[in-house]
Amino acid sequence: MDQSRDNATVAALRAAGVAVSELPRVDSVVLSGPSGELLLPGDLILAVDGEEMSRPEDVGEQVRSHAVGDAIVFTVLREGRETQVTITAAASNADPTIPVAGITVTRGYRYSPRVTYGIDSNVTGPSAGLVFALGVYDRITEQDLLADAVVAGTGTIDPDGRVGSIGAIREKIKGAERDGATVFLVPEGNCAGIGGLDTDLQLVKVATLREAIAAIQLINEGNSTEVPTCG
């Protein structure tokens, strides 16, 4: 999954109170290494040698507890199914006494809902993260978050719901205005770069997904004066 969609999904589920658990995830695999064609990017690592894993660091520690040539058993969650994969520890290029699995591991997430994006697969990129998260939140909660408002916005998002700055903010605001939006969600870090931009849009300052949700709710209730803005 595109990283912006993955982050947006996790942030939206958490904002909606849906349980999300963290697990180590295979980020990349050295095809010529011991895990080539055995472990796959995206695999969630549940256990190594029967020991439950909760952090990426746990995986490395367990691998290094072996000797080069040992069999290491990974229990992984792949496309919703639990499976076991056995690899043979190889020697590190930096130190032949250190065993390696030939993978990089990062933070991953496990949750029950299945989320798909019914939009063009080419619509990706970090700056779409906030809008993706709002769309997911709107679909999984009972309230009609957007109601009749035409809301635009931009900003990266991380799994904890923090909104980050993006480039070309002035151009994006003008594009949203041209397309009929009345509200534009601006990452807090971008407010200083707007300057004296001439626009009729309500420029709402947000630092987190929860702030964006609260701002839209206030606007729908007619309490726009309580909404934080840029400038």
Side-chain angles (χ1 to χ4, degrees):
M1 181 185 288
D2 173 72
Q3 189 65 48
S4 61
R5 298 187 184 192
D6 199 3
N7 288 350
T9 297
V10 173
L13 293 175
R14 284 174 163 170
V18 177
V20 177
S21 57
E22 295 188 6
L23 289 168
R25 179 175 66 86
V26 177
D27 189 48
S28 65
V29 180
V30 178
L31 294 180
S32 60
S35 298
E37 299 184 359
L38 294 174
L39 292 173
L40 301 176
D43 284 349
L44 292 174
I45 303 173
L46 303 177
V48 180
D49 302 319
E51 297 289 333
E52 292 186 0
M53 300 287 106
S54 59
R55 305 174 304 148
E57 296 84 356
D58 296 339
V59 178
E61 290 173 4
Q62 186 63 24
V63 169
R64 288 189 295 274
S65 72
H66 285 269
V68 174
D70 282 357
I72 306 176
V73 181
F74 285 79
T75 304
V76 302
L77 190 67
R78 180 181 298 166
E79 296 181 352
R81 294 185 178 183
E82 188 173 319
T83 185
Q84 284 193 339
V85 176
T86 301
I87 71 164
T88 301
S92 166
N93 290 331
D95 184 339
T97 66
I98 297 177
V100 295
I103 59 175
T104 60
V105 182
T106 187
R107 185 170 57 158
Y109 305 92
R110 184 180 189 179
Y111 43 83
S112 295
R114 180 177 176 83
V115 179
T116 58
Y117 286 77
I119 57 177
D120 190 326
S121 59
N122 292 320
V123 180
T124 61
S127 63
L130 173 59
V131 173
F132 283 157
L134 287 169
V136 173
Y137 181 87
D138 193 34
R139 293 301 299 269
I140 63 177
T141 55
E142 294 182 359
Q143 61 178 308
D144 184 2
L145 178 63
L146 299 179
D148 295 326
V150 181
V151 178
T154 189
T156 65
I157 199 160
D158 69 13
D160 296 318
R162 291 185 290 262
V163 177
S165 305
I166 51 82
I169 184 66
R170 297 166 72 92
E171 292 81 359
K172 289 176 180 177
I173 292 172
K174 281 300 183 182
E177 187 174 38
R178 182 183 61 247
D179 291 338
T182 57
V183 175
F184 193 96
L185 303 174
V186 181
E188 183 178 44
N190 281 120
C191 281
I194 293 175
L197 182 66
D198 182 20
T199 179
D200 292 329
L201 291 178
Q202 182 175 4
L203 303 179
V204 178
K205 178 175 65 175
V206 297
T208 66
L209 174 60
R210 292 183 185 277
E211 287 183 7
I213 292 168
I216 294 172
Q217 290 171 335
L218 286 170
I219 291 170
N220 288 339
E221 294 167 1
N223 296 323
S224 293
T225 57
E226 299 180 29
V227 176
T229 60
C230 292

